[in-house]
Amino acid sequence: MKIAEQNAEAGEHYITRNSNEYNEMFRKAAGGGIIAGLIAFTKTFMEEMSLSYFIQGIFKSINYSVGFIGIYSFGFTLATRQPAMTANALAAKMHNLNSDKERSSLVDEVVNLIRSQGASILGNVFLVIPTTLLIFSIIFYAQGAPLMDKEEALKTLSHYSVLGLTPIHAAFTGFLLWLSSVIAGWVHNWSVYHEIPQALASHRKLKAMLGPSRLQRWITLYQKHLSGWVGYISLGFLLGMSPKILGFFGIPLDVRHVTISSGTITLATASLGIDFLYHSQFWLAFIGIFFIGIMNVSVSFFLAFWVALKSRRIKSSIRDEIYKEVFTRFKKSPTSFLLPPKQKATN
């Protein structure tokens, strides 16, 4: 229950309700896309190196974690990190739904949430593609050859084909995205329960070394960012090490993150040349990106939403009523799920 409440508070920041907030979300996601492009390049570069299976997983985990912390530190957004947070924020509003007005307000929030996720994914992908193309161009002109040879590039595209295991891998990634939010919430609550900030504030050696005012600034920083740091670092290691650990036990699950996958597909396609855009293998991977995005967001969201509803003991009849009203709203105004409402002009 406490973890759901912690994530609900964080999730409020990821829901946009007007065009200004929508545009700001897109800009933050675009910044995240630039860093994700660097992550995708470094990941691909590591895969080209002759590293052992386990060491490659460690290096990938560090690459993901450093990149994600960079996105967080610059105030940018990683789209698929949001659903597990926003689901809890949504469930927190489902207690008092006795009137039509209250239910309509909740449906408005569902629409805002879906639209916000769309803005985040669009912003991430919109910038990750040109970023990886720029990196590819620099590498190409520096060494006179593409990052991948033809065989490796074709193999990479086949891994992301919609006809393969891509949807399953993407759903597994959605589970890891949700799990990272649970870990972040648990660590935050553990810190509060054990009164870690108070213990740091009363630590004599820290006071003498940093001074009271500087120590308080560090404690404030710790309280504000602990959940974010833990969430992104745990996500990085979950994405990097889970396939390696499961592979050791013969379970062939891999990760497919929509933003990083978009960058990887861009690098592979660029290595094959522009003519390959007409090849069916490219389009199968391109369509696979849509499935990756859908599975990343939906699995992460519904796991968090289900846990949040269970923790708040929301009746199934209320949930069914909300689902019906969301579907009715979609039939009436499908564009509202994609585009923000126009703001009224003020005199």
Side-chain angles (χ1 to χ4, degrees):
M1 177 65 177
K2 290 294 183 181
I3 293 175
E5 288 176 358
Q6 163 63 20
N7 287 337
E9 292 173 8
E12 284 290 337
H13 302 294
Y14 294 117
I15 301 177
T16 65
R17 298 176 178 86
N18 55 55
S19 58
N20 288 338
E21 292 179 354
Y22 179 91
N23 293 334
E24 180 63 19
M25 177 65 73
F26 180 87
R27 285 192 291 270
K28 289 181 178 180
I34 294 173
I35 297 179
L38 298 173
I39 297 173
F41 163 72
T42 308
K43 165 186 166 290
T44 304
F45 181 75
M46 288 177 180
E47 290 172 346
E48 295 294 309
M49 298 171 63
S50 299
L51 299 172
S52 69
Y53 194 67
F54 182 79
I55 294 300
Q56 186 183 93
I58 293 290
F59 278 17
K60 279 187 176 182
S61 298
I62 295 172
N63 175 44
Y64 289 138
S65 297
V66 170
F68 294 159
I69 288 294
I71 291 173
Y72 177 75
S73 299
F74 281 106
F76 297 148
T77 297
L78 185 68
T80 51
R81 182 76 176 86
Q82 301 172 14
M85 302 291 190
T86 51
N88 289 287
L90 188 63
K93 301 177 183 294
M94 294 185 69
H95 278 299
N96 301 312
L97 299 174
N98 298 320
S99 69
D100 291 341
K101 183 179 179 180
E102 289 168 344
R103 286 195 295 272
S104 179
S105 177
L106 180 62
V107 172
D108 287 339
E109 201 72 344
V110 173
V111 175
N112 292 334
L113 187 154
I114 294 173
R115 188 171 58 239
S116 300
Q117 300 307 315
S120 298
I121 293 177
L122 187 62
N124 274 180
V125 175
F126 188 75
L127 261 292
V128 73
I129 292 174
T131 299
T132 48
L133 282 175
L134 177 60
I135 295 172
F136 172 85
S137 300
I138 294 171
I139 296 296
F140 185 82
Y141 285 110
Q143 67 180 21
L147 182 63
M148 305 181 194
D149 59 31
K150 183 177 181 180
E151 182 180 353
E152 186 64 29
L154 289 171
K155 183 180 178 182
T156 298
L157 287 178
S158 68
H159 287 166
Y160 293 91
S161 172
V162 69
L163 299 180
L165 295 175
T166 290
I168 296 175
H169 294 325
F172 173 62
T173 305
F175 166 75
L176 297 180
L177 288 160
W178 166 75
L179 185 59
S180 71
S181 72
V182 173
I183 294 171
W186 182 86
V187 171
H188 174 88
N189 292 331
W190 177 88
S191 177
V192 172
Y193 179 79
H194 290 280
E195 299 182 341
I196 301 301
Q198 293 88 330
L200 293 173
S202 60
H203 198 285
R204 293 181 180 180
K205 289 185 178 180
L206 285 177
K207 273 186 179 181
M209 184 169 56
L210 299 175
S213 59
R214 183 179 296 176
L215 176 59
Q216 187 55 51
R217 287 198 298 270
W218 279 101
I219 292 172
T220 301
L221 191 70
Y222 166 85
Q223 290 176 300
K224 182 179 180 180
H225 297 294
L226 175 63
S227 181
W229 290 335
V230 171
Y232 278 112
I233 291 172
S234 62
L235 177 60
F237 276 84
L238 286 170
L239 294 180
M241 289 304 299
S242 295
K244 307 302 180 185
I245 294 172
L246 292 174
F248 179 80
F249 292 100
I251 303 173
L253 277 177
D254 204 348
V255 296
R256 295 290 184 269
H257 185 281
V258 61
T259 308
I260 298 171
S261 296
S262 297
T264 304
I265 289 174
T266 301
L267 288 171
T269 305
S271 298
L272 292 167
I274 194 170
D275 291 341
F276 200 77
L277 293 176
Y278 300 99
H279 199 282
S280 61
Q281 197 163 341
F282 164 76
W283 287 104
L284 289 173
F286 181 80
I287 296 171
I289 288 296
F290 288 93
F291 279 83
I292 292 172
I294 291 170
M295 296 306 291
N296 282 176
V297 171
S298 60
V299 171
S300 176
F301 175 83
F302 283 113
L303 280 172
F305 195 50
W306 180 78
V307 171
L309 291 176
K310 286 290 184 180
S311 68
R312 292 175 171 85
R313 296 180 175 86
I314 305 299
K315 295 180 180 179
S316 59
S317 58
I318 295 178
R319 285 178 287 175
D320 294 341
E321 188 67 28
I322 294 301
Y323 296 150
K324 290 178 183 177
E325 294 202 23
V326 170
F327 183 67
T328 301
R329 178 73 63 87
F330 181 77
K331 290 194 297 182
K332 182 180 179 181
S333 180
T335 56
S336 65
F337 286 75
L338 300 174
L339 301 174
K342 293 182 179 179
Q343 289 182 299
K344 297 179 180 179
T346 56
N347 296 327

Tab-separated table of all heavy atoms in Angstrom, residues 154 275-284:
chain	number	residue	atom	x	y	z
A	154	LEU	N	21.823	-7.595	-40.508
A	154	LEU	CA	20.644	-8.399	-40.837
A	154	LEU	C	20.185	-9.221	-39.635
A	154	LEU	O	18.984	-9.352	-39.374
A	154	LEU	CB	20.961	-9.331	-42.015
A	154	LEU	CG	21.114	-8.664	-43.387
A	154	LEU	CD1	21.639	-9.660	-44.407
A	154	LEU	CD2	19.781	-8.083	-43.856
A	275	ASP	N	19.006	1.814	-49.478
A	275	ASP	CA	18.217	0.918	-50.333
A	275	ASP	C	17.491	-0.154	-49.535
A	275	ASP	O	16.480	-0.702	-49.987
A	275	ASP	CB	19.126	0.250	-51.374
A	275	ASP	CG	19.636	1.228	-52.411
A	275	ASP	OD1	19.018	2.315	-52.543
A	275	ASP	OD2	20.658	0.937	-53.061
A	276	PHE	N	18.006	-0.451	-48.329
A	276	PHE	CA	17.398	-1.504	-47.520
A	276	PHE	C	16.049	-1.073	-46.952
A	276	PHE	O	15.293	-1.899	-46.454
A	276	PHE	CB	18.338	-1.918	-46.383
A	276	PHE	CG	18.022	-3.269	-45.807
A	276	PHE	CD1	18.387	-4.424	-46.482
A	276	PHE	CD2	17.342	-3.395	-44.611
A	276	PHE	CE1	18.089	-5.672	-45.968
A	276	PHE	CE2	17.039	-4.638	-44.084
A	276	PHE	CZ	17.408	-5.784	-44.772
A	277	LEU	N	15.715	0.211	-47.050
A	277	LEU	CA	14.408	0.681	-46.582
A	277	LEU	C	13.272	0.041	-47.362
A	277	LEU	O	12.132	0.017	-46.899
A	277	LEU	CB	14.319	2.206	-46.701
A	277	LEU	CG	15.233	3.021	-45.780
A	277	LEU	CD1	15.100	4.502	-46.087
A	277	LEU	CD2	14.880	2.762	-44.317
A	278	TYR	N	13.568	-0.469	-48.553
A	278	TYR	CA	12.543	-1.113	-49.375
A	278	TYR	C	12.451	-2.614	-49.093
A	278	TYR	O	11.627	-3.305	-49.696
A	278	TYR	CB	12.850	-0.888	-50.858
A	278	TYR	CG	12.884	0.571	-51.251
A	278	TYR	CD1	14.093	1.250	-51.365
A	278	TYR	CD2	11.702	1.277	-51.484
A	278	TYR	CE1	14.128	2.589	-51.715
A	278	TYR	CE2	11.732	2.617	-51.835
A	278	TYR	CZ	12.950	3.268	-51.944
A	278	TYR	OH	12.984	4.609	-52.284
A	279	HIS	N	13.279	-3.105	-48.206
A	279	HIS	CA	13.319	-4.537	-47.922
A	279	HIS	C	12.286	-4.892	-46.854
A	279	HIS	O	12.062	-4.142	-45.911
A	279	HIS	CB	14.717	-4.941	-47.457
A	279	HIS	CG	15.002	-6.392	-47.564
A	279	HIS	ND1	14.525	-7.315	-46.654
A	279	HIS	CD2	15.709	-7.118	-48.474
A	279	HIS	CE1	14.927	-8.520	-46.994
A	279	HIS	NE2	15.652	-8.430	-48.089
A	280	SER	N	11.653	-6.045	-46.993
A	280	SER	CA	10.612	-6.463	-46.046
A	280	SER	C	11.156	-6.640	-44.629
A	280	SER	O	10.442	-6.413	-43.643
A	280	SER	CB	9.983	-7.781	-46.511
A	280	SER	OG	10.950	-8.811	-46.575
A	281	GLN	N	12.417	-7.028	-44.509
A	281	GLN	CA	12.987	-7.263	-43.182
A	281	GLN	C	13.043	-5.961	-42.365
A	281	GLN	O	12.852	-5.978	-41.149
A	281	GLN	CB	14.390	-7.860	-43.308
A	281	GLN	CG	14.875	-8.497	-42.013
A	281	GLN	CD	16.055	-9.426	-42.258
A	281	GLN	OE1	16.305	-9.864	-43.376
A	281	GLN	NE2	16.791	-9.731	-41.208
A	282	PHE	N	13.306	-4.846	-43.052
A	282	PHE	CA	13.289	-3.552	-42.357
A	282	PHE	C	11.886	-3.239	-41.857
A	282	PHE	O	11.699	-2.806	-40.709
A	282	PHE	CB	13.766	-2.433	-43.287
A	282	PHE	CG	13.413	-1.059	-42.785
A	282	PHE	CD1	14.122	-0.479	-41.742
A	282	PHE	CD2	12.335	-0.357	-43.325
A	282	PHE	CE1	13.781	0.785	-41.260
A	282	PHE	CE2	11.989	0.902	-42.843
A	282	PHE	CZ	12.720	1.470	-41.806
A	283	TRP	N	10.887	-3.453	-42.685
A	283	TRP	CA	9.516	-3.096	-42.301
A	283	TRP	C	8.968	-4.007	-41.212
A	283	TRP	O	8.163	-3.579	-40.371
A	283	TRP	CB	8.616	-3.108	-43.541
A	283	TRP	CG	8.906	-1.936	-44.421
A	283	TRP	CD1	9.599	-1.944	-45.594
A	283	TRP	CD2	8.558	-0.582	-44.153
A	283	TRP	NE1	9.708	-0.663	-46.094
A	283	TRP	CE2	9.073	0.191	-45.232
A	283	TRP	CE3	7.878	0.063	-43.129
A	283	TRP	CZ2	8.918	1.567	-45.290
A	283	TRP	CZ3	7.714	1.435	-43.186
A	283	TRP	CH2	8.231	2.178	-44.259
A	284	LEU	N	9.399	-5.251	-41.197
A	284	LEU	CA	8.998	-6.140	-40.103
A	284	LEU	C	9.568	-5.655	-38.769
A	284	LEU	O	8.902	-5.707	-37.732
A	284	LEU	CB	9.462	-7.571	-40.378
A	284	LEU	CG	8.721	-8.309	-41.501
A	284	LEU	CD1	9.377	-9.656	-41.790
A	284	LEU	CD2	7.248	-8.511	-41.134
